[in-house]
């Protein structure tokens, strides 16, 4: 049975081409993700805080209302 047939059919070539494209897409995606993780300014210490840099807008409005800069209508 098929001892002398060493050729890959049309679907075999398609599967090999699709597999090669998928392989290189995964390698490139991993490279991009690693580069973005390492090139992030400030590293991962920015996410460890989880502290907002600015107060929320509601707090700013409450402070301005308390100081009398704005009234209830504004």
């Amino acid at each position: 049975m098929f001892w002398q047939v060493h050729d890959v059919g049309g679907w075999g070539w398609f599967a090999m081409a699709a597999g090669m494209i998928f392989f290189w897409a995964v390698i490139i995606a991993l490279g991009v993700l690693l580069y973005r993780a390492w090139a992030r300014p400030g590293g991962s210490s920015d996410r460890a805080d989880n502290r907002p840099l600015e107060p929320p807008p509601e707090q700013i409005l409450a402070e301005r209302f308390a100081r009398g800069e704005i009234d209830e209508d504004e």
Side-chain angles (χ1 to χ4, degrees), residues 24-43:
W24 285 111
V26 168
I27 295 297
I28 291 170
L30 286 174
V32 168
L33 289 175
L34 284 174
Y35 174 76
R36 290 179 67 186
W38 286 336
R40 183 180 307 143

